[in-house]
Structures are given as structure tokens and as C-alpha cells.
């Protein structure tokens, strides 16, 4: 059995669709993890991976994460993800051609998968996919006024406040020291909102000039990437790459809270317990970063700006419930979040089965 076949055989998801794009040498993976709550839905990621197997592993991991994200906030959508594992950066007509062929593949699923923008994919790219498929979200005129990163940042803001309330007894940001790692689509609006609330913000980014420019605008400090784990802060907000919380970095962390937007912040599940053992409160990332998905879907469904904001701030309410339960059980918040996901899925499956009886 090939490695790809073995990965697919070992996965617990609903289905895996794999296609090799001969024109560009790209492996296309669409991972459908769970449809209990609705149509499997998740972003499309384009990235150069060290191997096709690494791209497939990412698709499987991210799809399962989307199931957890939707279920944790009890949103009527299932978990899925797509990965375009390109052999090299693609531009111009070569890129457009791949995206159009991918769009036709999504359309061939006849509504079995819905997708949107993710890492390595721009809104312009999704417009190209949308030329071939009607199952693309986040590209209509109703949602273009507010980038999804702004919605994600609003949800992270709510997560930070809920975390502060749990640790310090107050959600107030004034005077709190917050380290934002990654000043991109989410980190920038998050940092601005924190500064407006009186937080003492520190910024870090691999692009030192970008971090310096934003720091000058906001009156914030700058931290070198290698110094992030050991920098003292009330809150550490990872908003860049994943796996930043691991057996090597956790013993060095100088924060009380981790609440950020990056996907898959834990290198392995055991890292949640490592944080708990150190007395560091971890806001499970699949809940803290759910704002982008919640915002886009809400706007597309016609929700008012006030209702959208209410739903985004409710992310903090959800985390507050999880934190309180975790405290009572003396466990990591991740355990409570996972139990919440399992309970939501079990309830919906029971309701579905009862309706078929």
C-alpha cells in the first residue's frame, strides 16, 4: 500500500478526494471530515509542501479542526478542508488554470463541499474558483466590505477578554500587556483593537519592518521572533504559524494566557496539559479563531452588523463556559472543548436518527 493510500485508509473522516493536476504538477486534496451539522465546509489552502503526503496530512488535520470549530460554537456546518499542494509558487495563467480546474472539481461534488479563502489563497483567487463553482463563500459583494481577518480578530478579542476574566477576575484590557505574534490580516486589526482598549501591546513578525511600521503607528513595542517565548506578557496571542506551543517552548513561556488566531497552535495534544501544568490558560484555537467563519457566514445569511458582532463576541461566552468547567474539573480547557464538540455532534446525530425513525 502506498503512503498516500495508507494515510487515507487510516483517517477517520467521511471521505478524501485526491486528484493530480498534470498541467502544474499539483496534488489536490479535498478532505471531508464530518457532515453531522451540515455540508462539510472549510477553506482552500495553497502551499508548497515537502511531499504530497505532507499536503494530505495537512488537509486531514485541518478538516478535523473545522469539524471541531463548527461544533464548538454549534454552527450548522460540517467540517472539511482543501489543500492545493503545489510544487512551486504559481503565477499568471498557470495559477488561473489550476484554480479553474479546481473549481470544476468542487462543482462536480454538487454541493457536497463548500469552500473559501485560506492560507496562500487571495480573494482574487477565490473569484477564479467561483467562475467554475457555485459553492464558494466569501466572494460576494455582501461580504467584501469587511475582510474575514477583521471578523477573526474580533473573535480573538472576545477570547482574550474571556481569558483575562478567568485568570484575573476582570476582562478589562487597560494596562494589560499583550504580545501579538504575526501582524497580518488578523494581527493588525487585533492589535489596533487592543490599543484602543488601553492594552500595552507588543508586536512580533518575521518581517521586522512590517512590525516596526505598525508599532510606530500604534505606539507599541517590538519583540524579535526568537524572543517571543521568553517575553513577559499577560497574554500571548499567536496569530501566525501553528505548532508554536510545544515541549520546547512551553517551559520557556512567560505569559499567563495564550489566546490567538493561529491554527493548530499545539504541536501535539499533550501540549495542552503541559500548559495547564504550568498554570497558563489556553484558549483552544479552534474556538478563539472561529470569528472569520462565523462573520462571513452570518453576513452571507443576511445578518445585521449588530447581530454579526453579537455572534462574534459570543465566542468569549463559549470560552467562559469552557474555562469554568475546566476549573471545576481541574483539567485543561482543551479537554472541555473536546467534550463540548463530542456532545454537540452526538446530540445532532441522535436528532437526525430520530427524524429518520
Amino acid at each position: 500500500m502506498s503512503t498516500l493510500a495508507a494515510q487515507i485508509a487510516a483517517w477517520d473522516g467521511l471521505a478524501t478526494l485526491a486528484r493530480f493536476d498534470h498541467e502544474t504538477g499539483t496534488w489536490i486534496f479535498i478532505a471531508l471530515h464530518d457532515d453531522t451539522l451540515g455540508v462539510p465546509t472549510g477553506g482552500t489552502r495553497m502551499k508548497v509542501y515537502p511531499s504530497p503526503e505532507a499536503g494530505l496530512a495537512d488537509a486531514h488535520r485541518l478538516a478535523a479542526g473545522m469539524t471541531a470549530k463548527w461544533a464548538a460554537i454549534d454552527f450548522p456546518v460540517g467540517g472539511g478542508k482543501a489543500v492545493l499542494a503545489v510544487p512551486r509558487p504559481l503565477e499568471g495563467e498557470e495559477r488561473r488554470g489550476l484554480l479553474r480546474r479546481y473549481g470544476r472539481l468542487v462543482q462536480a461534488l454538487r454541493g457536497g463541499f463548500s469552500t473559501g479563502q485560506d492560507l496562500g489563497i487571495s480573494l482574487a483567487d477565490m473569484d477564479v474558483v467561483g467562475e467554475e463553482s457555485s459553492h464558494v463563500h466569501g466572494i460576494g459583494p455582501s461580504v467584501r466590505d469587511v475582510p474575514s481577518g477583521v471578523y477573526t480578530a474580533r473573535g480573538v478579542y472576545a477570547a482574550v477578554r474571556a481569558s483575562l476574566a478567568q485568570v484575573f477576575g476582570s476582562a478589562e484590557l487597560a494596562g494589560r500587556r499583550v504580545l501579538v505574534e504575526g501582524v497580518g490580516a488578523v494581527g493588525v486589526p487585533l492589535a489596533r483593537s487592543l490599543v484602543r482598549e488601553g492594552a500595552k501591546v507588543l508586536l512580533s513578525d518575521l518581517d521586522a519592518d512590517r512590525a516596526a511600521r505598525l508599532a510606530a503607528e500604534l505606539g507599541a513595542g517590538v519583540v524579535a521572533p526568537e524572543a517571543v517565548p521568553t517575553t513577559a506578557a499577560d497574554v500571548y496571542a499567536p496569530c501566525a504559524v501553528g505548532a508554536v506551543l510545544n515541549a520546547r517552548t512551553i517551559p520557556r513561556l512567560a505569559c499567563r494566557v495564550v489566546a490567538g488566531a493561529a491554527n493548530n497552535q499545539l504541536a501535539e495534544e499533550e501540549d495542552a496539559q503541559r500548559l495547564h501544568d504550568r498554570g497558563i490558560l489556553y484558549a483552544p484555537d479552534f474556538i478563539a479563531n472561529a470569528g472569520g467563519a462565523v462573520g462571513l457566514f452570518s453576513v452571507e445569511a443576511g445578518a445585521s452588523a449588530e447581530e454579526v458582532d453579537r455572534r462574534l463576541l459570543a465566542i468569549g461566552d463559549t470560552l467562559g463556559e469552557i474555562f469554568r468547567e475546566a476549573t471545576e474539573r481541574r483539567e485543561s480547557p482543551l479537554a472541555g472543548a473536546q467534550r463540548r464538540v463530542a456532545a454537540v455532534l452526538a446530540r445532532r446525530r441522535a436528532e437526525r436518527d430520530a427524524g429518520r425513525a
Side-chain angles (χ1 to χ4, degrees):
M1 183 181 292
S2 71
T3 306
L4 284 174
Q7 286 178 250
I8 293 172
W11 194 46
D12 67 349
L14 188 66
T16 302
L17 177 64
R19 180 187 187 279
F20 183 71
D21 185 67
H22 289 277
E23 291 88 337
T24 62
T26 297
W27 277 96
I28 300 173
F29 299 113
I30 300 178
L32 310 177
H33 184 254
D34 193 284
D35 66 347
T36 301
L37 300 182
V39 173
T41 300
T44 295
R45 175 169 294 198
M46 183 185 291
K47 182 179 174 181
V48 177
Y49 290 88
S51 67
E53 290 79 7
L56 176 59
D58 206 19
H60 281 168
R61 180 171 51 87
L62 291 166
M66 290 306 299
T67 296
K69 185 191 301 288
W70 298 126
I73 59 176
D74 204 357
F75 218 68
V77 182
K81 204 77 173 185
V83 162
L84 307 184
V86 294
R88 63 190 180 283
L90 303 180
E91 298 180 355
E93 286 306 310
E94 187 177 38
R95 186 183 184 95
R96 283 183 56 84
L98 170 64
L99 292 169
R100 290 180 69 94
R101 290 186 292 275
Y102 167 64
R104 290 196 287 272
L105 183 61
V106 172
Q107 187 66 16
L109 296 177
R110 300 181 180 276
F113 174 62
S114 177
T115 192
Q117 185 182 8
D118 198 76
L119 181 71
I121 292 285
S122 67
L123 275 177
D125 289 332
M126 293 314 300
D127 283 337
V128 176
V129 177
E131 292 173 8
E132 301 290 342
S133 176
S134 57
H135 305 291
V136 177
H137 58 81
I139 62 173
S142 64
V143 299
R144 284 190 178 274
D145 290 342
V146 181
S148 63
V150 173
Y151 294 131
T152 304
R154 186 64 167 166
V156 174
Y157 164 85
V160 168
R161 286 179 54 86
S163 300
L164 290 172
Q166 179 66 26
V167 172
F168 297 106
S170 171
E172 292 302 314
L173 280 156
R176 292 297 176 192
R177 190 175 171 96
V178 183
L179 170 56
V180 179
E181 181 181 37
V183 290
V186 178
V188 171
L190 174 62
R192 286 176 175 154
S193 66
L194 297 173
V195 168
R196 282 196 298 270
E197 296 287 329
K200 299 176 181 179
V201 174
L202 302 172
L203 304 173
S204 183
D205 196 279
L206 291 175
D207 186 333
D209 290 339
R210 181 164 57 183
R213 287 193 299 271
L214 183 61
E217 173 193 331
L218 300 179
V222 177
V223 174
E226 63 273 14
V228 165
T230 56
T231 297
D234 295 309
V235 180
Y236 167 37
C239 297
V241 298
V244 293
L245 304 172
N246 52 60
R248 182 180 58 84
T249 60
I250 290 172
R252 303 166 60 212
L253 289 178
C255 61
R256 294 293 307 280
V257 168
V258 177
N263 283 312
N264 304 306
Q265 294 167 25
L266 304 176
E268 56 183 358
E269 192 169 308
E270 290 75 13
D271 291 321
Q273 187 60 43
R274 292 186 178 107
L275 289 166
H276 181 64
D277 291 343
R278 283 214 55 209
I280 299 173
L281 183 68
Y282 168 61
D285 53 48
F286 57 85
I287 301 177
N289 66 15
V294 170
L296 287 178
F297 271 88
S298 298
V299 171
E300 288 182 332
S304 66
E306 292 76 14
E307 175 62 16
V308 172
D309 197 54
R310 186 193 67 76
R311 294 179 184 180
L312 295 174
L313 294 180
I315 289 172
D317 299 332
T318 297
L319 284 169
E321 295 171 3
I322 290 171
F323 292 153
R324 288 188 290 274
E325 181 180 324
T327 299
E328 292 170 0
R329 291 174 174 259
R330 298 183 179 180
E331 65 183 8
S332 161
L334 179 62
Q338 291 174 330
R339 192 164 47 250
R340 184 185 185 97
V341 167
V344 169
L345 293 175
R347 184 180 74 247
R348 290 301 180 88
R349 286 167 184 151
E351 292 171 353
R352 184 175 61 185
D353 293 344
R356 290 172 178 172

